[in-house]
Amino acid sequence: MARKNVAAGNWKMNTNISQGIELAQTISNAGRDKEVLVILAVPFTHIFALQKKVKTSSKVILAAQTCHHKTSGAYTGEISPTMLADMKVPYVVLGHSERREYNHENNSLLAAKLRAALDAGLKVIFCCGESLEIRKAGTHISYVKTQLTESLFQLDAQEMKNIVIAYEPIWAIGTGETASPVQAQDMHAAIRDMLRKKYGKRVADNTSILYGGSVKGSNAKELFGQADVDGGLVGGASLNGQEFVQIINSF
Ligand code: PGA
C-alpha cells in the first residue's frame, strides 16, 4: 500500500462554531481531482457540531489539536485521548511547535501523549521542526532526529501505521516565509531515511510526511510535487475555504 496524500487544516484557536460549519461544508462539498485524505484539526468546542452538521466521509475527517497524556483524573481544563475516542474523533495533532513553546511540551511528555493517544485508539499527526537559530547553525537535521528519537521512535513498527509526520520549520509557521521546495524535500528525505533505519523500508515507504509552514494555494503544488512531501499541515490558509480546496487539489 502506497502512502496517502494528506491535506490537513489546523484551525488553531480560530472561528466560532457557525463559521467552522460553513468552512467545513465548503471543503467537504468541493470536488476532488485526486484521492486525498483531508483532515480538519478543529477546536474541541466545534467537534460535536461539525460531526452533526457536516457531511463527513472517509475523505474529510476531524482531528483534535492536542490531548492530555492521562486517561482521566484531576487535570482541570484538559481533554483526554479516551474522551476523544469516545467522541469518535479519529486523529489528534501532537507536538505542534506552538504547544511545545507555549505549553512547555517536551519530547518526553510527547512520548507519553503518543502512548496514551495510540492506546486510546487514536491516530496521530506528529509534528517536528527546528527554529531559525538551529536552521542557521546548520544542525536542523540532527535536531529533528533527536525530537523523533526521544518521542515518536518509542513506538513499534506496527504502531507506525497510525502515524502521519508533519515537518514544520518554526521559522516558516505563520510568517509568510515558506521553506523552499528543496529545503522541504531535503528534510523529508532525511526523515524518511530515519524511518528506514529505525523501522525498515516498509514503514518508511508507507508513512506520509507532511510539510507545514505558510503553505498557500500559490505554493502547494510545487511543495507537494517533491518526492518525499506527501501533503501539508496548513494553518492560516486552511481558514479560507476556497484556498484550502485549491491546496487539496494541488497534488
Ligand atoms: P501556517 O501554520 O500555515 O499558518 O504557517 C502551519 C501550522 O502551524 O500548522
Side-chain angles (χ1 to χ4, degrees):
M1 196 194 76
R3 55 187 180 261
K4 289 189 173 78
N5 290 329
V6 182
N10 177 9
W11 293 4
K12 308 189 181 185
M13 196 171 70
N14 291 300
T15 73
N16 62 30
I17 292 177
S18 59
Q19 290 165 336
I21 290 169
E22 197 185 323
L23 182 54
Q25 278 170 341
T26 302
I27 293 159
S28 83
N29 292 337
R32 298 278 173 81
D33 298 340
K34 291 228 178 87
E35 272 292 295
V36 181
L37 175 62
V38 176
I39 304 173
L40 303 178
V42 304
F44 291 128
T45 47
H46 293 33
I47 291 170
F48 188 69
L50 289 175
Q51 286 173 329
K52 293 273 167 263
K53 294 274 166 87
V54 180
K55 191 174 78 210
T56 49
S57 63
S58 57
K59 290 182 186 138
V60 178
I61 60 177
L62 297 180
Q65 298 174 8
T66 184
C67 67
H68 200 257
H69 60 287
K70 294 274 174 66
T71 53
S72 64
Y75 301 100
T76 302
E78 297 291 344
I79 300 284
S80 80
T82 45
M83 290 169 172
L84 295 175
D86 188 39
M87 281 198 86
K88 311 246 177 312
V89 178
Y91 271 88
V92 62
V93 178
L94 292 177
H96 193 280
S97 61
E98 287 152 15
R99 301 284 316 174
R100 290 178 190 261
E101 183 180 353
Y102 307 134
N103 299 77
H104 314 292
E105 296 190 1
N106 60 23
N107 295 338
S108 75
L109 177 63
L110 290 168
K113 288 192 180 218
L114 274 161
R115 179 77 273 136
L118 291 189
D119 286 349
L122 301 177
K123 295 177 192 251
V124 176
I125 298 178
F126 189 76
C127 306
C128 57
E130 81 287 354
S131 65
L132 185 58
E133 210 179 8
I134 290 164
R135 169 63 64 164
K136 281 188 173 155
T139 53
H140 43 288
I141 291 182
S142 68
Y143 182 83
V144 166
K145 187 173 183 190
T146 302
Q147 285 184 318
L148 296 178
T149 303
E150 292 181 357
S151 52
L152 187 64
F153 290 175
Q154 309 294 310
L155 305 181
D156 67 29
Q158 189 58 24
E159 291 174 315
M160 289 299 289
K161 68 175 188 304
N162 297 315
I163 301 296
V164 169
I165 296 174
Y167 166 61
E168 299 202 305
I170 297 167
W171 45 273
I173 296 177
T175 59
E177 182 163 348
T178 319
S180 71
V182 171
Q183 285 174 319
Q185 168 57 25
D186 283 353
M187 180 60 88
H188 283 226
I191 293 171
R192 206 173 300 287
D193 195 48
M194 294 170 207
L195 288 170
R196 196 174 296 115
K197 290 193 174 113
K198 170 76 185 167
Y199 295 110
K201 186 174 178 331
R202 210 182 138 95
V203 169
D205 288 349
N206 288 337
T207 303
S208 297
I209 307 176
L210 315 184
Y211 168 79
S214 299
V215 175
K216 301 187 262 290
S218 56
N219 60 22
K221 209 178 185 76
E222 209 184 350
L223 287 162
F224 298 175
Q226 304 301 308
D228 289 290
V229 178
D230 307 309
L233 178 56
V234 186
S238 75
L239 296 169
N240 177 320
Q242 297 307 330
E243 185 165 10
F244 193 58
V245 168
Q246 189 189 346
I247 291 169
I248 292 168
N249 286 325
S250 295
F251 288 94

